[in-house]
Amino acid sequence: GNSVTQMEGPVTLSEEAFLTINCTYTATGYPSLFWYVQYPGEGLQLLLKATKADDKGSNKGFEATYRKETTSFHLEKGSVQVSDSAVYFCALTSSGNTGKLIFGQGTTLQVKP
Amino acid sequence: GAGVSQSPRYKVAKRGQDVALRCDPISGHVSLFWYQQALGQGPEFLTYFQNEAQLDKSGLPSDRFFAERPEGSVSTLKIQRTQQEDSAVYLCASSLDLSSNTEAFFGQGTRLTVV
């Protein structure tokens, strides 16, 4: 079945450091890929998405590229801020027309000043 | 406009008690999803609706779990005879349609603790 695997956290970085959170997936067909973020005390929010191979999603300085050959969708940011501290979830929807999300287990990012 | 609203935010239930969790989706959103999130884990799919029709309930863990959306707007997730393993955050999400690349908007969740 479809699944998503993320690197385990927590990830602790200093402000302005480079961030990578790894995400790999297993899916049949052509899934859409997403990164959701959960800030402390808030609900899940869509951060970025990519709907086909080689697409790059980007938002708020974060980027992720849909790599079909490596079944990956790694999240990157060149310079993190304290306000980026949150839990990040990689997710996919199957190519069928359902919108049902399959999530990874989440990666906690802590950014220290 | 308002986002997805869930109530209550917190619920403590004694084992064996029935609970009802409410979700108010964004107005006009056709699709509504319920997820269960255990501590330290990602959300797991429970069920979804297109308008009032429940199209997939394959994620409901047992027949003690029941969801409805009778008028195609507000939805209720009911858990009968709660057990300790039901303790989790229950998330509701809505989206404009059922397309696989449409953004889902999430509520803040209801944290259920069964004691």
Side-chain angles (χ1 to χ4, degrees):
Chain A
N2 297 340
S3 66
V4 175
T5 302
Q6 291 180 235
M7 64 186 289
E8 289 198 17
V11 174
T12 303
L13 296 173
S14 297
E15 208 166 18
E16 299 184 2
F18 184 86
L19 168 71
T20 300
I21 300 178
N22 290 337
C23 171
T24 57
Y25 67 90
T26 301
T28 55
Y30 303 95
S32 294
L33 302 175
F34 304 80
W35 278 100
Y36 277 82
V37 58
Q38 188 169 34
Y39 297 104
E42 299 185 16
L44 281 165
Q45 304 173 24
L46 178 65
L47 181 59
L48 54 84
K49 69 178 184 183
T51 59
K52 61 182 187 296
D54 299 325
D55 267 4
K56 178 185 285 188
S58 61
N59 185 26
K60 298 182 180 179
F62 290 89
E63 293 183 340
T65 301
Y66 188 164
R67 302 284 189 201
K68 196 171 191 306
E69 63 276 14
T70 55
T71 62
S72 66
F73 193 55
H74 304 321
L75 182 68
E76 296 182 336
K77 186 175 185 182
S79 176
V80 294
Q81 306 299 313
V82 172
S83 57
D84 294 327
S85 297
V87 183
Y88 292 82
F89 293 92
C90 185
L92 65 81
T93 56
S94 65
S95 54
N97 205 29
T98 68
K100 177 171 77 175
L101 286 159
I102 296 170
F103 288 90
Q105 74 269 34
T107 303
T108 299
L109 171 65
Q110 299 172 337
V111 181
K112 298 186 174 180
Chain B
V4 177
S5 178
Q6 293 187 245
S7 61
R9 287 292 312 281
Y10 304 91
K11 176 69 179 177
V12 178
K14 292 184 178 179
R15 191 171 57 181
Q17 187 178 356
D18 296 349
V19 298
L21 312 180
R22 177 187 170 103
C23 173
D24 281 88
I26 293 173
S27 178
H29 277 196
V30 168
S31 303
L32 186 145
F33 302 81
W34 284 99
Y35 293 86
Q36 181 190 58
Q37 186 176 17
L39 189 63
Q41 301 297 314
E44 292 194 356
F45 170 79
L46 294 177
T47 185
Y48 76 78
F49 293 83
Q50 183 178 16
N51 296 309
E52 69 278 4
Q54 189 174 19
L55 298 186
D56 185 345
K57 53 182 181 180
S58 62
L60 295 176
S62 77
D63 59 6
R64 296 186 296 103
F65 287 71
F66 172 77
E68 61 183 4
R69 194 186 185 197
E71 297 179 357
S73 178
V74 171
S75 177
T76 303
L77 176 67
K78 298 179 180 178
I79 309 173
Q80 297 177 325
R81 305 180 304 280
T82 53
Q83 301 177 7
Q84 284 192 319
E85 59 262 32
D86 300 335
S87 296
V89 175
Y90 291 85
L91 299 172
C92 176
S94 69
S95 64
L96 273 174
D97 57 43
L98 272 179
S99 170
S100 61
N101 58 22
T102 299
E103 179 178 357
F105 293 84
F106 283 80
Q108 290 186 289
T110 294
R111 182 179 297 277
L112 173 65
T113 303
V114 181
V115 297

